Amino acid sequence: MKVKIGALILISVFALNSCKTKAVSDNTIKTNIKEVVKSSDVVLVDVRIPEQYSEATAKDAVNIPLAELQNNIENLKGKKVVVFCNKGIQADQAVEILKKNGVEVYDGTTWKNVKAIQQEKQ
């Protein structure tokens, strides 16, 4: 019985610590996204298809569709990159791809969010 209680406590501690770490890192990214978007050395990447990109996007954004992202990783290495799309789903996928390949990447979620940050007064 003591072993079962001890194991339960140990599992609970690991579970709580893993949740805590994730929340802290998410908050850090969200806190810094405005600063990152407004920095002069950032590359803004719209990962939507060209037709969507041509309709509207954030200022100075380049279009690298999610399907072509893997082929453009070398061009993004060594740069600070913010990715975004329509709803944030493709941006999440882009973040994972770029992180796995050693790119400093931030999730801007949507093009409207990035554009709103750009338009904010300092």
Side-chain angles (χ1 to χ4, degrees):
M1 184 68 161
K2 288 181 182 179
V3 173
K4 287 182 182 180
I5 293 173
L8 182 60
I9 291 171
L10 188 60
I11 291 170
S12 298
V13 169
F14 284 128
L16 289 173
N17 282 338
S18 67
C19 292
K20 182 179 175 184
T21 303
K22 175 103 172 97
V24 169
S25 65
D26 284 349
N27 287 339
T28 303
I29 291 171
K30 289 178 184 176
T31 302
N32 294 329
I33 193 67
K34 290 182 181 183
E35 190 176 303
V36 173
V37 167
K38 291 183 175 187
S39 69
S40 61
D41 62 340
V42 70
V43 178
L44 301 175
V45 179
D46 188 331
V47 296
R48 300 176 298 158
I49 60 174
E51 294 80 10
Q52 293 171 317
Y53 171 80
S54 66
E55 289 176 12
T57 193
K59 182 181 176 190
D60 299 326
V62 295
N63 184 220
I64 304 175
L66 183 61
E68 297 173 20
L69 193 60
Q70 192 72 40
N71 298 330
N72 288 280
I73 288 174
E74 289 304 316
N75 298 330
L76 299 173
K77 281 190 176 179
K79 299 176 182 174
K80 194 182 315 182
V81 178
V82 174
V83 294
F84 54 89
C85 59
N86 268 339
K87 296 180 182 177
I89 297 168
Q90 290 178 318
D92 289 345
Q93 294 171 342
V95 166
E96 291 304 314
I97 291 168
L98 294 174
K99 276 186 180 178
K100 285 179 185 174
N101 286 280
V103 176
E104 181 183 352
V105 63
Y106 299 84
D107 191 343
T109 62
T110 68
W111 70 269
K112 290 179 181 179
N113 181 53
V114 173
K115 188 172 183 172
I117 291 170
Q118 289 175 323
Q119 294 173 341
E120 282 180 359
K121 297 201 176 175
Q122 302 229 12

